[in-house]
Each structure stands twice: as structure tokens, then as C-alpha cells.
Amino acid sequence: MENERLKKSSKTYYGWIVLAITFVTLLVSAGIRSMPSILMLPLEKEFGWSRGGISGVVSVGIFLYGLVGPFSAALLLRYGIRRMMTVALVVLGASLAITPSMTALWQFQLLWGLVAGLGTGMMANVLGVTVANQWFEKRRGLVVGILTASAATGQLLFMPLLAKITADAGWRYSIYTAVAVIAVLIVVVSLWMRNHPHDLGLAPYGSDQVVPPSPFRGNLFLTPLRVLGEAAKEKTFWLLAGTFFFCGFSTNGLIGTHLIPACGDIGITTVVAAGFLALMGLFDLVGTTLSGWLTDRFDSRWLLFWYYGLRGLSLVFLPQALHMGYTEMMIFTVFYGLDWIATVPPTVKISSNVFGKTKSGMVFGWIVVAHQIGASVAAYGAGAMRDWLGSYTVPFMSAGFVCFFAALMAVRIARTTSANPTTTASV
């Protein structure tokens, strides 16, 4: 009865409402994942923890955020999107609520490295890919672009606000704010989220066939591993995983974690530095949505070539921009922001074409694992190198050059136009 009421009460295709709820959920998750960069200097000052020690916590959280992805895809298919989103939000909210009481680095590692890493991992790109595959036949590239851009929007909305709260009232109050937002979101997801268009008697957008979702068959732990084994036989998988390793190395692991501390090293305040990240989020919202549109129309391999190459140029420029002034930092912010995670839509499209819609969520989840391993290496490595060398110049320059290598890897991917029929069998 409730599903019939929702179906009749809305003149808009309900998939767009599902898209909006997923967008907001990913937005909040992204905002929370960005918080350690705001907390790094206050925690260093209050507890005396080293930059490398705090970076190690961030590194573990980033790694687990990626590792849970393939298993998250299996859980979403087995238990449904709404139930798993609710569980993940409850776990994440509980972790954050306890955080203000911590007094030791190991507690921070437990709450943010382990629990928050797993909680946000359930609300990652795999969630967006699953929603896009379930609800949309047409406009799927655009939908993936929009949902990917939610990470940028999370920064845009949360970073300046949380940085301001941290500066004015202390880091604990920024945590309380995040907990309040999660509590509201739990209610929204519980009431209005739906798993599949068939639940409302609808066809996926762009289709006229109302069909039930394909049931998940297999073991929740072993099936993702078996899919990995099958995907690992394809050269395309290794090229996508390799480019995504360098993608993570050059984005959330490095800039997302260390730009604010790097600005602090040269006297730029946390609030201003958070403003740079927020502005990156604004331009990435544009760039990633546009990337989804381009992915529906152009060869994804060459899109990746240009994205990685241009990102490499911006990172090579960053050490100079930091010491030249606000104008140069604004140039970097805009240029880098347009390209922040524009790589996701073409990577998702190639993955879906090669491995099929049924398995693409889990395959992409494993590709994201490579992304997060790269991010984890950069998060810890950049912090350790900052303690050792006294600056972030070497990590930033190194990330620029690995992006050039990723651009060359992208054009080695075989051209594909549709999924291989042999890879779309039920899992």
C-alpha cells in the first residue's frame, strides 16, 4: 500500500527521487570522510600526536573504505539498498558520537580508521553504480556522473562549515554537527528510499519492461572473490585498477588529506584552506557531471587520458602556487577541481561494457580497492615525508608525474562498445 501511494503521489519518475536521496547520502558520507583534514591540526595541538600518526589513521580508514566496496555490492544485491544504507548510517553515526570522548591515538584509529572506514565504505561509489544500474537504462553515464559529483558537493557544503565550527567552538562541536545530520538522513532513507523500480511496479528509466531484480546467488564473501578471479583474467581490469590506484594517490589520499595542513605550514588559515577545497568541490561538481555527459558520447579511454594528464600538470604546479599567492592558488583550485573525480564515469562505463551490468558493481568495487590503496599510500606517505623533509613539495610533484603515467596506461585499454555476453551470467 505504501509503495502504491508513493507511485501515485508523484508525477516524477521515482528513480529521480531515489537518485536525490542517494546523492544526499553520498554527499554526507563524503563530507564526513573529509573531516580528518580539518581535525589534523587541532588533534596534533591538543593531544601531541604526530602528523604521521594521524595520517596513519586516515590511511587505514581510506583503505577499508575501498576494501569494503566489492562486499558492499554483494550486500546491496542480497539485502537491498535501503536496508544497507540505513545500517551503514547507524554504524557511522555511532562511531562519530563516541569520537569526542577519545583520549588516545588507538581510540582514534578504532573509531575513524576501522569503524568510520567501514561505514563510509558502504556508502561509496559502489552504491551509486548499483543505483544507476537498477533504476536507469538510459542516461546512466549522466547519473553516475551526478552521484560521483556528490563527493565534491559534500566538500562544498561541509568543509567551510565544519572548519568554521572547529575554529570558533572546537573540533568536538563539528563532530556533533555531523552526528545531527546523520540522524536526519537515517529518517529520510528509512521512509523514502526504495531498492528497485519493480518495488513500485515501474520499469527502469528508458525501458518499458517491468522486471524483478535478478536475485543474488552465492556466498556474500566468496562471490566477490570469485568475480575478482574472473576479472583478473582480463587485461582491461588491471589497466583500470592501475589507473585508479594513481587516481586515489593523487586525490583524496593526497590533496583531500594534506592540502589544509600544507596551507597551514605556510600560514594560510584552516578556514581559508577549507575554502580552497570547497571551491574545488564546486568545480568538480561541474566537471564530474560534465564527464558523465561526455562519457555517454565519446571514447572513455581518451577521456581518461586527458583527465589524468591535466591533473598531473596541476599537481606539478601546486608547490609553486602555494608560495606564489592566493591568485595562483585559485588557478590551481579551479583547474584541479574540474578534474578531481571526473575519471569515475568513464571508468564505470568501461567496466560495465567489459564485465556486464550484473557483475559491474563488484568489479568496480575491486577497482575502487586499488584506488583506495593508492589513496592510503599517499595519505600516510605524504604525512611521513612531511615529517622527514619538512614540506609537501616532493609528494605533490611525485603525484603529478604518476598521473602522466596513468594517462599513458589509459590509452592501452582495449576499445569496447558493449558487454561481453559471457560475463553477464548470474552470480
Side-chain angles (χ1 to χ4, degrees):
M1 292 297 294
E2 181 185 4
N3 287 339
E4 285 296 320
R5 180 180 60 80
L6 288 172
K7 179 181 175 182
K8 293 177 181 179
S9 64
S10 176
K11 296 180 181 179
T12 304
Y13 178 65
Y14 202 81
W16 296 113
I17 297 174
V18 170
L19 173 66
I21 295 172
T22 306
F23 181 92
V24 174
T25 302
L26 292 172
L27 177 151
V28 171
S29 175
I32 290 170
R33 286 201 316 274
S34 68
M35 288 186 70
S37 63
I38 297 174
L39 302 178
M40 190 172 292
L41 294 179
L43 293 178
E44 191 177 19
K45 181 178 179 181
E46 178 173 337
F47 296 108
W49 300 339
S50 70
R51 189 78 57 91
I54 299 172
S55 298
V57 174
V58 179
S59 176
V60 171
I62 287 173
F63 173 71
L64 291 177
Y65 165 82
L67 183 62
V68 76
F71 306 98
S72 169
L75 288 167
L76 290 167
L77 293 174
R78 168 66 65 83
Y79 295 110
I81 296 171
R82 178 168 66 170
R83 181 183 298 179
M84 295 313 303
M85 286 173 67
T86 303
V87 169
L89 287 167
V90 169
V91 170
L92 184 60
S95 172
L96 264 66
I98 299 172
T99 296
S101 302
M102 68 180 183
T103 57
L105 185 61
W106 70 265
Q107 295 168 345
F108 188 41
Q109 182 70 270
L110 176 65
L111 294 171
W112 280 82
L114 178 61
V115 181
L118 294 174
T120 55
M122 285 296 301
M123 297 176 291
N125 288 326
V126 171
L127 172 61
V129 172
T130 302
V131 168
N133 283 337
Q134 299 278 40
W135 284 87
F136 293 88
E137 285 293 335
K138 292 185 178 179
R139 310 276 180 87
R140 194 177 294 159
L142 177 62
V143 169
V144 171
I146 292 171
L147 293 178
T148 303
S150 63
T153 310
Q155 283 186 188
L156 172 66
L157 294 179
F158 278 86
M159 291 289 280
L161 172 63
L162 296 176
K164 180 66 174 174
I165 293 173
T166 300
D168 292 347
W171 64 270
R172 289 176 175 83
Y173 284 92
S174 65
I175 298 290
Y176 297 143
T177 302
V179 172
V181 172
I182 289 174
V184 173
L185 189 55
I186 289 172
V187 176
V188 172
V189 170
S190 299
L191 292 177
W192 291 294
M193 190 65 188
R194 291 296 179 270
N195 298 319
H196 192 276
H198 184 264
D199 296 347
L200 300 175
L202 299 172
Y205 184 84
S207 172
D208 56 4
Q209 296 183 353
V210 179
V211 294
S214 300
F216 178 86
R217 297 186 179 93
N219 184 283
L220 288 170
F221 180 75
L222 294 180
T223 298
L225 294 176
R226 187 168 65 250
V227 169
L228 172 62
E230 295 171 2
K233 298 175 184 177
E234 297 280 350
K235 177 183 176 182
T236 297
F237 171 80
W238 291 107
L239 288 171
L240 290 175
T243 55
F244 241 42
F245 174 92
F246 296 127
C247 181
F249 188 92
S250 59
T251 53
N252 57 322
L254 183 66
I255 300 300
T257 303
H258 290 285
L259 183 64
I260 290 179
C263 289
D265 286 346
I266 60 171
I268 299 176
T269 66
T270 297
V271 174
V272 172
F276 287 142
L277 281 175
L279 190 59
M280 285 181 197
L282 175 63
F283 281 96
D284 186 54
L285 176 61
V286 175
T288 304
T289 303
L290 178 61
S291 175
W293 183 85
L294 291 170
T295 298
D296 286 332
R297 290 161 175 81
F298 297 101
D299 188 334
S300 295
R301 301 170 307 150
W302 286 102
L303 291 176
L304 290 174
F305 171 82
W306 285 108
Y307 295 160
Y308 285 118
L310 293 173
R311 185 188 299 170
L313 289 174
S314 65
L315 287 168
V316 169
F317 173 66
L318 177 56
Q320 289 74 34
L322 279 168
H323 294 281
M324 291 172 71
Y326 286 101
T327 301
E328 289 75 15
M329 276 301 297
M330 288 295 293
I331 293 172
F332 166 79
T333 296
V334 172
F335 194 67
Y336 180 89
L338 287 169
D339 194 16
W340 177 288
I341 43 177
T343 54
V344 173
T347 302
V348 169
K349 182 176 181 179
I350 294 172
S351 176
S352 296
N353 284 347
V354 174
F355 301 103
K357 186 171 71 172
T358 302
K359 296 181 181 179
S360 63
M362 281 179 279
V363 173
F364 182 68
W366 286 113
I367 293 170
V368 172
V369 170
H371 183 282
Q372 297 307 106
I373 292 173
S376 178
V377 170
Y380 177 74
M385 292 186 75
R386 159 59 178 76
D387 287 340
W388 180 35
L389 300 174
S391 78
Y392 285 100
T393 298
V394 172
F396 290 155
M397 294 287 287
S398 299
F401 286 110
V402 300
C403 284
F404 297 146
F405 183 67
L408 297 177
M409 290 178 65
V411 296
R412 299 288 298 170
I413 298 171
R415 185 185 181 110
T416 57
T417 56
S418 61
N420 182 346
T422 63
T423 63
T424 58
S426 173
V427 295

